[in-house]
Every structure is written in C-alpha cells, then in structure tokens.
Amino acid sequence: MDNRKYKIYSLLDPITKDVRYIGVTVGYLSSRFSQHKHNSLKKNSNTYICKWFRKVFKETGELPIIKLIEECEKDQWEEKEKYWIKFYENLTNIREGGAGVVVDRTKTSIQRSADAHKKKIVQLDKNWNFVKE
C-alpha cells in the first residue's frame, strides 16, 4: 500500500506572484524546486518552464517561488493536477496534467529502464579484429 502524500504545487512569479506552473511530487518541495532550478539553468533546456524560469531570473535576479497547493492520495493526484492546471490561466504547462514526474519504481519498471540503457560491448584483438560481443 502506498501511504505517500502526493503534493500538488505551483511555481509563482517572484514579482507578480502569478501562478505560472502546476506540478506534482511525492518528495520534498525543496528537492523538487532544486530539480527545476538545475534543469532550467542548463543552457540546453528548452522546455517552456525552463525558458520561463531563466527569463524570470535574468529579468529580476530572483528565482520563482514554489508553493504547496494541496496534498492528496495516490489515486487522486492525476485528477487534482488536471483540475489545478485548468483552474489557472497563462501557465507554462504544455500538458493538461496527470503525467507528472511521479514514477512507479517497481522492480519491473527498474528492469525496463535498465534494459533501455544497455549498450553492446564488443571485444577486439590487438589488430582490431572482432573477437566477441
């Protein structure tokens, strides 16, 4: 049984206090905010949320604000996230919600992830001739 609390949160403009993004996490809000900050300050991150995050920091010298909206159970978070995304206007969210970053880390899902990242290794002799895979 999953007893974790699912946290629906918002990212706000630090000057206007307008809600600009809705998300969900099962971790600490501070950890989730650090992930947003890290992803956003990488130059190659071109999602809407990352672009907005960088723009706010460049224009104001301040970071967006993370704020808890509500906590819910596992069977409610998708519906709640969709509700809050529809509730607010002018968000940087590109999806209607319900996909989130909440991941089911069962043994099966971990194995699928590991299998997807496997790479072939080949052995060559000193003359660069194929020996085995």
Side-chain angles (χ1 to χ4, degrees), residues 43-56:
K43 298 291 184 199
N44 61 347
S45 297
N46 288 318
T47 62
Y48 289 117
I49 184 65
C50 289
K51 288 177 184 179
W52 171 76
F53 205 104
R54 282 194 299 267
K55 180 179 182 227
V56 166

Side-chain angles (χ1 to χ4, degrees), residues 24 77-82 85 95-102:
V24 63
W77 75 266
E78 294 174 81
E79 172 188 322
K80 297 281 189 173
E81 185 186 31
K82 287 178 183 180
I85 288 173
R95 295 190 181 112
E96 68 176 19
V101 294
V102 177

